[in-house]
Amino acid sequence: MSQLVSPSLLSANFGNLQDDLNMINGSNADWLHIDIMDGVFVPNLSFGPPVLQYVAKLCNKPLDVHLMVVNPMNYLEPVKALGARVMNIHYEAETHLHRAVMKIKESGMMAGVTLNPSTPVMMLKDIIADLDLVLLMSVNPGFGGQKFIAHTVNKVRELRELIEATSSSALIEVDGGVNVETGRLLADAGSDVLVAGNAVFKANDPVAVIDSLRAL
Ligand code: DX5
Ligand code: ZN
């Protein structure tokens, strides 16, 4: 099994984004993970459309957008305008998940639903067949550089079983505290996409770390 790798821009050097984006462009990264926060759904702010328009212009990788906001569907148009490949909304932030997922798909993006560490995989039972991707949080969202929650490995196994039982084509993506060591556990359990912030951007050789994660 090999993994798709989606380095998380949140851990990049905001004082010189162009250098980090050049590194990503020259690497084998599959996507670029973009964390949008509103200071309400999570206790932090990150970046919004004005900054991201430049990122989208300077980056040649598909964007994998992770919305950590209340009312995530208010951001459908701005996310679509970035040309994003994937739009991830949190299960915990959207009451009308089925309608939201349909709208994301109609707009031409892959629809992803994200689960916080405390939300059981089974909550997706009645929507899994409609999803393109499930993003499992392996930390509590809001900050980079946190410790991996080991129970996520069991959730990956459980989600893989649910996907197989329902003939869903959803990809399993994992976000938070992922490095080569934790990534190996996730890949063995059945993940498809690994998000990595600190493990990539704080490494001496980020391009090599991306390759090591892809090989898992
Ligand atoms: C956390 C974000 C992550 C974060 C991951 O809320 O969703 O994408 O950037 O960073 P690391 O890999 O450092 O845990
Ligand atoms: Zn994220």
Side-chain angles (χ1 to χ4, degrees):
M1 272 299 288
S2 64
Q3 301 288 296
L4 298 177
V5 173
S6 191
S8 177
L9 185 71
L10 193 63
S11 300
N13 176 6
F14 292 167
N16 190 347
L17 274 181
Q18 176 126 35
D19 260 15
D20 278 348
L21 290 170
N22 287 343
M23 178 279 288
I24 293 292
N25 289 343
S27 77
N28 290 316
D30 297 279
W31 297 343
L32 179 66
H33 186 82
I34 306 278
D35 291 301
I36 301 182
M37 306 181 188
D38 66 353
V40 180
F41 184 73
V42 289
N44 197 10
L45 291 164
S46 54
F47 26 66
V51 172
L52 293 176
Q53 272 153 20
Y54 282 99
V55 170
K57 216 178 283 174
L58 295 172
C59 182
N60 64 17
K61 305 287 181 179
L63 302 183
D64 161 35
V65 175
H66 174 197
L67 289 160
M68 282 161 275
V69 301
V70 297
N71 299 324
M73 291 309 285
N74 289 350
Y75 300 86
L76 180 71
E77 284 309 319
V79 172
K80 189 181 162 190
L82 292 175
R85 166 82 52 98
V86 188
M87 175 163 162
N88 282 294
I89 61 174
H90 267 260
Y91 170 86
E92 302 83 6
E94 176 54 62
T95 309
H96 301 289
L97 201 55
H98 182 270
R99 180 162 59 208
V101 163
M102 293 302 143
K103 282 193 175 161
I104 294 171
K105 288 164 77 160
E106 273 163 30
S107 77
M109 294 183 282
M110 287 171 68
V113 170
T114 309
L115 299 184
N116 276 336
S118 62
T119 303
V121 161
M122 279 304 146
M123 301 313 279
L124 297 178
K125 183 173 160 288
D126 289 337
I127 194 151
I128 190 75
D130 295 309
L131 300 182
D132 297 310
L133 184 147
V134 176
L135 174 57
L136 295 177
M137 291 308 300
S138 39
V139 297
N140 287 293
F143 304 91
Q146 301 183 82
K147 191 175 174 297
F148 180 77
I149 298 173
H151 176 62
T152 315
V153 177
N154 300 327
K155 289 177 79 172
V156 171
R157 265 190 225 108
E158 217 180 316
L159 180 55
R160 179 55 64 203
E161 280 172 23
L162 179 65
I163 286 171
E164 277 169 16
T166 53
S167 305
S168 163
S169 54
L171 297 175
I172 303 178
E173 181 174 25
V174 186
D175 181 10
V178 175
N179 52 35
V180 172
E181 193 184 326
T182 56
R184 183 168 293 121
L185 302 175
L186 295 165
D188 289 348
S191 64
D192 301 296
V193 189
L194 299 175
V195 176
N198 273 31
V200 167
F201 288 99
K202 308 289 187 228
N204 290 330
D205 188 347
V207 169
V209 172
I210 291 168
D211 285 340
S212 305
L213 290 168
R214 287 186 91 240
L216 292 175

